[in-house]
Amino acid sequence: MSIILETLLHNTDAIIMQGNADELVENIQFDSRKITENSLFVAIKGTTNDGHSHIPQAILMGANVIVVEDEKYANTIVNFEKNSHITFVKTKNSAKILGQLADNFYQNPSKKLKIVAVTGTNGKTTTATLLFKLYKEMGYKVGLLSTVQNHIHDKIIPTNLTTPDSLTIHKLLAKMHTEGCEYCFME
């Protein structure tokens, strides 16, 4: 799958600092170890690790678009002239834009499914799983996003995260839609 950067940036606060809006993006990542050729890398400031420090590795791995939140920090580690072939995009909030980019990349999958979210202190996994199984037994094609495992109808997709990141959620929702699911139950 590939998409033009300008389309990805639609309805975001992103500003292109350097490069072109017509770059082709084949992959979105916030983990520099998962970068492939023509990837868009989102540098996210974490509590213990700052993704901006991984920009050089992302470029070496093949990223052609880099999204930064901290332009000053990026300036100290990136030689923009040396990397003139890279498109740099500035945003106010990298974590927020990751979800927006994922939504655009996967063509708004949450708008194509009926999503039932279960919140609360106790019983989320049980409730979401029971609803998933009930709707499946009633003949609906359904998906489940839970802390135990994810499902796309009969397929089990293992997880090791309590809450998937926005990129993973959009990818799973898109796969659910592609495979004909009508509903997604998530905790």
Side-chain angles (χ1 to χ4, degrees):
M1 175 177 210
S2 59
I3 192 165
I4 301 294
L5 177 60
E6 183 175 30
T7 304
L8 281 178
L9 299 180
H10 181 70
N11 286 335
T12 69
D13 71 350
I15 299 166
I16 294 177
M17 298 171 11
Q18 170 182 297
N20 302 309
D22 61 352
E23 285 290 332
L24 190 63
V25 174
E26 297 177 3
N27 181 22
I28 298 174
Q29 289 297 332
F30 62 95
D31 183 338
S32 61
R33 297 168 296 187
K34 296 179 180 178
I35 294 291
T36 57
E37 208 58 39
N38 296 323
S39 287
L40 179 147
F41 174 68
V42 182
I44 297 177
K45 286 183 178 184
T47 53
T48 58
N49 192 6
D50 190 338
H52 291 83
S53 65
H54 299 284
I55 292 172
Q57 180 183 353
I59 292 170
L60 285 173
M61 299 287 288
N64 62 336
V65 179
I66 306 291
V67 177
V68 299
E69 179 178 322
D70 190 340
E71 184 180 348
K72 291 177 186 172
Y73 185 70
N75 282 332
T76 63
I77 60 170
V78 176
N79 180 334
F80 284 93
E81 286 180 23
K82 179 182 172 192
N83 293 299
S84 61
H85 61 289
I86 304 295
T87 297
F88 286 90
V89 177
K90 169 89 168 83
T91 185
K92 291 178 186 170
N93 184 324
S94 294
K96 178 181 175 183
I97 203 171
L98 177 64
Q100 295 168 331
L101 294 170
D103 192 42
N104 289 340
F105 187 81
Y106 291 107
Q107 302 169 346
N108 312 106
S110 62
K111 293 179 181 166
K112 298 172 183 172
L113 296 165
K114 294 174 183 117
I115 298 178
V116 178
V118 180
T119 64
T121 306
N122 296 312
K124 296 180 294 295
T125 303
T126 301
T127 302
T129 303
L130 286 172
L131 286 168
F132 166 79
K133 289 181 178 183
L134 174 66
Y135 272 68
K136 188 173 160 189
E137 286 295 316
M138 292 186 329
Y140 291 98
K141 282 204 91 174
V142 291
L144 173 68
L145 299 177
S146 81
T147 57
V148 178
Q149 58 190 351
N150 300 314
H151 289 259
I152 298 177
H153 202 58
D154 290 324
K155 294 180 197 168
I156 297 172
I157 301 160
T159 183
N160 58 0
L161 300 171
T162 302
T163 305
D165 58 80
S166 59
L167 187 59
T168 301
I169 289 172
H170 282 88
K171 185 176 186 176
L172 287 169
L173 291 176
K175 188 135 180 75
M176 287 176 193
H177 172 70
T178 300
E179 295 195 18
C181 292
E182 285 183 69
Y183 290 87
C184 172
F185 299 96
M186 64 187 296
E187 57 175 289

